[in-house]
Amino acid sequence: AYVNVVGDPRKPTYRLVVADADGENARVMLESLQPIMSPAWSPDGRNLAYVSFENGGSQVFVQSLRSGARKRVSARRGVNSAPNWSPDGKQLALTLSRGDGNLDVYTLDIATQVLTRLTDWPSIETEPGWSADGQQVYFTSDRSGGPQIYQVSASGGRPKRITFEGNYNARPRVSPDGKRMAVVHNDRGNYRIAVVDLERAYLQVLTDGTLDESPSFAPNGQVLI
């Protein structure tokens, strides 16, 4: 799933696209004159969560791939962004500002709309990703002076810093077996995809680009897109 931008650069059209893993058989799920961001698969592969700006502000929607039906699940005052499904498909981790301008990480029970605040710090906390067992949430924070990855219990508590190598690590995504975490890492001025061994805290840079972003594991844990 990805976002495709087409047309006049001054007034582009944004498309939410679903394709085979090799890029073939692409089909447009949604088209809008306002930005679409951050598509995220539900664990069963039947739904996508994403951010849309179609009504003048950021909102999080969940859309069925089979029927195309969609439901707005978060349109709270301020920023609604970076949705990510829990492994059981019952919750979304997301970033909200709740109107005070400060970005923090929350979990949202999709059925009940109950919010649980996981971070409360005068810094930018964003890009949440779940541990494989759903017990922990990883996120990007600049509370130490630059973007690094932290971990917090999905029920709340004191965050723990996870990455220390380099001055920039962001957008954490954990492998299906829970042993590794893909991140965007600043490697000598270049933004590259790296994998962190969570047990040994060892970081390995995988790509050689200058502006690589948004890593995501395949279900078998052997491939990154």
Side-chain angles (χ1 to χ4, degrees):
Y2 59 93
V3 176
N4 178 227
V5 185
V6 297
D8 186 340
R10 294 168 296 181
K11 194 175 181 180
T13 296
Y14 297 83
R15 294 173 175 170
L16 177 64
V17 181
V18 171
D20 294 346
D22 61 1
E24 295 298 317
N25 299 317
R27 58 191 178 110
V28 177
M29 302 299 300
L30 178 69
E31 189 169 281
S32 175
L33 294 177
Q34 303 301 322
I36 301 169
M37 300 171 61
S38 306
W41 289 97
S42 63
D44 61 9
R46 296 178 179 179
N47 297 281
L48 281 172
Y50 57 88
V51 177
S52 171
F53 286 79
E54 64 200 68
N55 293 315
S58 59
Q59 303 169 88
V60 176
F61 286 85
V62 170
Q63 183 164 342
S64 165
L65 268 70
R66 174 173 292 182
S67 69
R70 62 190 192 130
K71 176 183 178 182
R72 189 174 63 183
V73 297
S74 186
R76 291 158 175 86
R77 183 183 176 192
V79 172
N80 299 263
S81 67
N84 199 293
W85 297 83
S86 61
D88 63 7
K90 296 180 179 179
Q91 299 183 78
L92 288 172
L94 69 169
T95 299
L96 303 174
S97 68
R98 300 300 299 276
D100 63 6
N102 193 64
L103 298 178
D104 280 295
V105 173
Y106 293 75
T107 58
L108 171 68
D109 186 295
I110 298 172
T112 66
Q113 283 287 298
V114 171
L115 278 174
T116 300
R117 187 171 188 164
L118 300 187
T119 67
D120 188 2
W121 198 264
S123 55
I124 296 174
E125 327 277 22
T126 188
E127 301 177 326
W130 294 82
S131 62
D133 61 6
Q135 298 301 305
Q136 305 289 327
V137 173
Y138 295 89
F139 62 95
T140 306
S141 173
D142 65 354
R143 62 177 63 195
S144 61
Q148 296 292 342
I149 308 304
Y150 289 77
Q151 177 194 65
V152 66
S153 169
S155 59
R158 185 180 179 87
K160 171 187 175 183
R161 184 171 169 177
I162 300 298
T163 56
F164 292 89
E165 186 173 337
N167 60 10
Y168 184 105
N169 293 284
R171 219 277 186 170
R173 288 297 179 265
V174 178
S175 62
D177 63 8
K179 296 180 179 180
R180 295 165 295 163
M181 178 175 64
V183 299
V184 179
H185 173 73
N186 188 315
D187 179 28
R188 293 165 291 182
N190 300 295
Y191 293 92
R192 293 171 173 166
I193 305 305
V195 169
V196 179
D197 184 305
L198 290 172
E199 183 177 347
R200 297 181 297 165
Y202 171 75
L203 183 145
Q204 179 185 7
V205 176
L206 299 182
T207 68
D208 60 2
T210 59
L211 192 58
D212 299 334
E213 59 184 36
S214 301
S216 179
F217 275 98
N220 63 9
Q222 301 302 307
V223 180
L224 280 166
I225 193 169

